[in-house]
Amino acid sequence: MTAETFLAFLAATLLFAYMPGPALLYTAAQTISRGKRAGLMAAAGIHLGCYVHVAAAAFGLSAIFTVVPALYFALKLAGGLYLVFLGIQMIRTRVSAGPMPDLPQKSTRRAFADSVLVEILNPKVAIFFIAFLPQFVNPGVGLPIWVQFLILGTFVNFAFTSADLVTVLFASEVKKRLTRNSRYQDLTRWLGGSVLCGLGVKLATDRA
């Protein structure tokens, strides 16, 4: 990759990474509703789940979505319903009055597992990689194309995770500034859960 091409790749990657979107809203909702530790685990889960899409793009599996629309629709619907389920669960989970606590370790592990599954069940991530990465792959170099896909995809994944971490830190500060009583705890639960439900409905019904 020439210097000019790399700069274009870097600029496009950072633009996509830090552009407000579903992933940033998801990590913000997890952080505001459930605490900084849960937000960090959610970001880690999204990062790990994204490697499934990177590998799928590298080995051509994601291209199946373009020739089998029913599979894309089924995965999109499953991902949307799962987000709605997580949102309802978040709204229904009440915490005791007093200082707004972070989740215990067991619950943060659940936030990690949920986030891995949410990312895997989002076919839009797969479509993004097969649409974005080929623009920067060079068949004329010594590295096989699938290796280039893995390298570029990993770089993109770390860039997106950096944006998720910034979002977690910002959302954590917002959470700290909320008045520490049950009324505001209920507000953060409803806010976070509503965001997840909205993201789920959007994913399931989006015609793109």
Side-chain angles (χ1 to χ4, degrees):
M1 188 182 297
T2 64
E4 292 79 5
T5 303
F6 175 75
L7 289 176
F9 169 71
L10 179 62
T13 297
L14 293 177
L15 176 64
F16 281 119
Y18 284 85
M19 181 183 300
L24 299 186
L25 287 175
Y26 175 84
T27 51
Q30 289 282 0
T31 305
I32 291 177
S33 177
R34 309 172 78 180
K36 181 179 180 180
R37 188 165 54 184
L40 292 173
M41 293 300 286
I46 292 174
H47 181 84
L48 181 61
C50 188
Y51 283 118
V52 173
H53 296 294
V54 173
F59 297 106
L61 298 179
S62 296
I64 295 176
F65 290 139
T66 63
V67 296
V68 187
L71 180 60
Y72 175 86
F73 174 79
L75 191 62
K76 183 166 65 76
L77 181 61
L81 291 177
Y82 189 62
L83 275 171
V84 172
F85 167 76
L86 292 180
I88 294 174
Q89 191 177 52
M90 182 178 290
I91 291 173
R92 295 179 61 186
T93 303
R94 299 184 63 88
V95 294
S96 58
M100 298 173 70
D102 282 352
L103 292 179
Q105 185 175 0
K106 182 178 178 180
S107 296
T108 57
R109 289 198 297 265
R110 177 61 186 273
F112 173 80
D114 286 342
S115 301
V116 172
L117 189 56
V118 164
E119 183 72 0
I120 292 175
L121 290 177
N122 187 356
K124 289 188 173 184
V125 180
I127 297 299
F128 168 79
F129 278 111
I130 63 173
F132 180 66
L133 295 184
Q135 302 176 57
F136 304 99
V137 169
N138 185 356
V141 300
L143 285 176
I145 290 179
W146 67 269
V147 175
Q148 295 184 54
F149 263 89
L150 290 178
I151 294 174
L152 294 175
T154 299
F155 184 92
V156 171
N157 194 15
F158 272 99
F160 275 70
T161 299
S162 72
D164 288 337
L165 293 177
V166 170
T167 300
V168 169
L169 295 177
F170 177 78
S172 178
E173 289 301 315
V174 172
K175 176 181 168 66
K176 288 179 181 179
R177 294 176 183 275
L178 293 176
T179 303
R180 299 188 174 189
N181 59 45
S182 59
R183 183 170 59 122
Y184 283 93
Q185 290 178 24
D186 289 340
L187 175 62
T188 58
R189 284 192 302 105
W190 277 92
L191 177 62
S194 298
V195 169
L196 295 190
C197 289
L199 291 175
V201 171
K202 185 178 187 305
L203 177 60
T205 60
D206 197 341
R207 296 179 179 272

